[in-house]
């Protein structure tokens, strides 16, 4: 698979520092030309670590009995969201383990609409709301969209069906995840997906195919990060790693994604920042233009253990790192993905032609 002279698999598997430098420089040039030097902020509230799913890699999986569980009340989430807005950050992301009961969806729809309404009353345009709550029915996604959420992140984790099967129990199926991504797009969300990098059995060819998958799915937002094994999960016992440098490969994946999809938003994941102190700086230089500082209450941060020893950074230290990379942290804009608007425009034109 090639893109503008880059052989994706060869670049991803190369240990040549010269090639790495060339790729990073090309991605940075492209990013500055298409997206400028702004890095947008989404204040992250991880409001519940209760999860009904059993993903084989994740510390929140329902079978992990050693994890202390928490579930924030609606009032607490609203208070946190408004505090983030009053601190000048205009977008939040609500994330939780999967619980798609109608009752819970209704509760979160209430939270979203109150956050939108109250923040709007305080200062237009109000809070921009991203959700990352896993798989739901079309009706449930629509309920949350109608309540005021406008972006949704649902990672495919690997577009390689064999890798997907390897990291999920049999009842969690690839086709269903794909169907959910299509629902989200049909409803009108800005849709984000992403993958883990360096999973057991995952090859460089599989990662190259992931990049093509993102293009084919016409996604608006992307979140990728290195796989970090969690000791309380079955996948941590695996030893068949093909990708040895998950960090360097993640940076290359970001740079290639930026070249292939110049108008999307791309998150510099916390996993990337946790695995290497240079994660934020290099992630931004590779084309990352969104950061998600954690605003989960301090006492619950360690319990949101998707992977172990997750460290969080203050907004100030994120700002300093972003500036040291030569970029600007932008709190005051929603910073929506231009790809979304381009996609809507193209769809409108098609409809006009029909
Ligand atoms: S990855 Fe998400 S759905 Fe899977 S166990 Fe973790 S929190 Fe639950």
């Amino acid at each position: 698979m090639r893109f503008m002279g880059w052989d994706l698999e060869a670049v991803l598997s190369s240990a040549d520092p010269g090639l790495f430098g060339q790729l990073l420089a090309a991605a940075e040039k492209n990013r500055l030309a298409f997206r400028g030097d702004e890095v947008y902020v989404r204040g992250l509230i991880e409001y519940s670590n209760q999860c009904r799913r059993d993903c084989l890699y994740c510390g929140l999986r329902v079978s992990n009995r050693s994890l202390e569980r928490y579930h924030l009340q609606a009032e607490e989430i609203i208070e946190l969201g408004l505090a983030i807005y009053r601190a000048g950050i205009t977008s939040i992301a609500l994330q939780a383990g999967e619980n798609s009961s109608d009752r819970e969806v209704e509760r979160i729809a209430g939270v979203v609409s109150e956050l939108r309404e109250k923040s709007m009353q305080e200062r237009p345009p109000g809070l921009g709301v991203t959700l990352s709550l896993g798989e739901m029915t079309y009706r449930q996604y629509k309920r949350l969209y109608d309540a005021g959420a406008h972006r949704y992140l649902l990672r495919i984790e690997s577009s390689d069906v064999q890798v997907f099967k390897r990291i999920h129990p049999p009842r969690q199926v690839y086709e269903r995840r794909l169907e959910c991504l299509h629902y989200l797009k049909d409803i009108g969300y800005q849709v984000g997906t992403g993958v883990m990098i360096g999973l057991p059995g995952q090859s460089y060819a599989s990662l190259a195919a992931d990049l093509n998958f993102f293009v084919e799915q016409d996604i608006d937002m992307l979140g990728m990060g290195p796989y970090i094994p969690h000791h309380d999960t079955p996948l941590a016992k695996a030893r068949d790693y093909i990708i040895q440098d998950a960090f360097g490969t993640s940076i290359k994946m970001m740079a290639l994604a930026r070249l292939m999809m110049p108008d999307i938003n791309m998150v510099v994941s916390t996993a990337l920042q946790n695995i290497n102190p240079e994660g934020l700086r290099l992630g931004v230089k590779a084309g990352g233009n969104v950061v998600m500082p954690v605003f989960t209450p301090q006492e619950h941060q360690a319990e949101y253990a998707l992977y172990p020893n997750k460290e969080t950074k203050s907004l100030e230290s994120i700002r300093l790192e972003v500036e040291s990379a030569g970029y600007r942290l932008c709190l005051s804009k929603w910073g929506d993905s231009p790809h979304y608007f381009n996609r809507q425009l193209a769809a409108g034109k098609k409809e006009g032609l029909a």
Side-chain angles (χ1 to χ4, degrees):
M1 287 173 237
R2 298 185 79 86
F3 178 79
M4 286 177 67
W6 299 95
D7 179 326
L8 303 182
E9 194 180 334
V11 171
L12 289 167
S13 58
S14 166
D16 177 357
L19 186 63
F20 183 83
Q22 275 174 32
L23 175 65
L24 213 60
E28 189 163 27
K29 192 172 162 204
N30 179 299
R31 178 259 177 73
L32 287 168
F34 285 94
R35 301 304 314 272
D37 64 351
E38 291 178 339
V39 175
Y40 306 108
V41 178
R42 317 281 182 242
L44 178 63
I45 304 173
E46 299 149 327
Y47 66 80
S48 173
N49 69 353
Q50 294 174 359
C51 187
R52 296 177 170 189
R53 296 294 191 168
D54 220 7
C55 306
L56 305 183
Y57 53 86
C58 176
L60 304 196
R61 66 198 303 265
V62 66
S63 303
N64 182 8
R65 309 267 178 242
S66 61
L67 184 69
E68 195 79 29
R69 304 283 171 167
Y70 71 92
H71 191 67
L72 296 189
Q73 297 301 305
E75 299 71 35
E76 293 177 90
I77 308 170
I78 293 165
E79 217 171 280
L80 270 171
L82 290 176
I84 292 171
Y85 194 56
R86 286 171 194 143
I89 297 173
T90 46
S91 272
I92 57 165
L94 299 179
Q95 196 175 75
E98 198 172 302
N99 177 357
S100 52
S101 66
D102 278 345
R103 195 171 159 198
E104 178 64 1
V105 171
E106 204 45 48
R107 182 179 92 100
I108 297 308
V111 167
V112 170
S113 76
E114 204 164 326
L115 276 170
R116 286 285 304 129
E117 214 169 285
K118 287 192 167 161
S119 59
M120 184 71 167
Q121 277 165 9
E122 287 190 14
R123 188 178 81 245
L127 269 172
V129 180
T130 306
L131 299 178
S132 182
L133 309 177
E135 296 178 6
M136 291 184 187
T137 63
Y138 189 98
R139 179 180 49 80
Q140 291 172 326
Y141 284 139
K142 179 86 168 66
R143 174 75 186 96
L144 293 165
Y145 182 81
D146 290 342
H150 64 130
R151 311 180 191 113
Y152 203 104
L153 293 169
L154 180 67
R155 297 203 336 184
I156 192 86
E157 305 300 1
S158 172
S159 70
D160 180 327
V161 180
Q162 291 317 314
V163 177
F164 187 97
K165 276 188 182 163
R166 172 88 190 276
I167 65 174
H168 293 100
R171 68 182 175 281
Q172 290 177 230
V173 295
Y174 180 83
E175 290 73 18
R176 169 82 183 121
R177 188 74 52 95
L178 210 50
E179 184 178 47
C180 286
L181 284 169
H182 294 161
Y183 286 168
L184 292 164
K185 199 185 281 180
D186 188 62
I187 289 166
Y189 281 99
Q190 291 175 44
V191 181
T193 192
V195 294
M196 281 187 286
I197 295 158
L199 287 160
Q202 187 183 42
S203 65
Y204 293 104
S206 170
L207 288 177
D210 285 337
L211 289 166
N212 274 341
F213 171 85
F214 304 144
V215 173
E216 276 166 23
Q217 292 296 317
D218 211 6
I219 56 150
D220 307 308
M221 310 180 295
L222 182 60
M224 301 184 286
Y227 163 62
I228 303 176
H230 189 297
H231 48 276
D232 282 328
T233 64
L235 203 66
K237 295 189 183 76
R239 293 289 171 265
D240 55 329
Y241 291 99
I242 298 166
I243 294 157
Q244 298 300 327
D245 176 13
F247 176 73
T249 309
S250 298
I251 298 290
K252 286 192 270 186
M253 282 289 282
M254 289 181 73
L256 288 167
R258 180 48 76 200
L259 288 169
M260 295 168 82
M261 296 167 284
D263 60 354
I264 63 163
N265 274 354
M266 185 160 56
V267 179
V268 184
S269 70
T270 43
L272 189 77
Q273 298 176 54
N274 272 220
I275 205 174
N276 189 305
E278 285 284 274
L280 179 51
R281 200 180 67 80
L282 286 179
V284 167
K285 289 182 98 55
N289 68 332
V290 174
V291 287
M292 296 171 69
V294 177
F295 286 89
T296 306
Q298 191 78 43
E299 67 270 27
H300 296 307
Q301 286 184 5
E303 292 159 359
Y304 203 84
L306 299 170
Y307 53 86
N309 308 320
K310 206 174 100 188
E311 280 176 30
T312 57
K313 291 175 184 168
S314 70
L315 189 63
E316 196 43 37
S317 80
I318 290 176
R319 182 197 302 282
L320 291 173
E321 283 185 57
V322 165
E323 285 174 359
S324 83
Y327 290 81
R328 284 186 299 140
L329 205 59
C330 181
L331 276 61
S332 60
K333 291 185 191 168
W334 276 14
D336 283 324
S337 162
H339 184 82
Y340 171 77
F341 300 105
N342 294 337
R343 183 159 70 74
Q344 300 295 94
L345 209 65
K349 274 190 192 150
K350 249 188 229 163
E351 264 169 36
L353 283 174

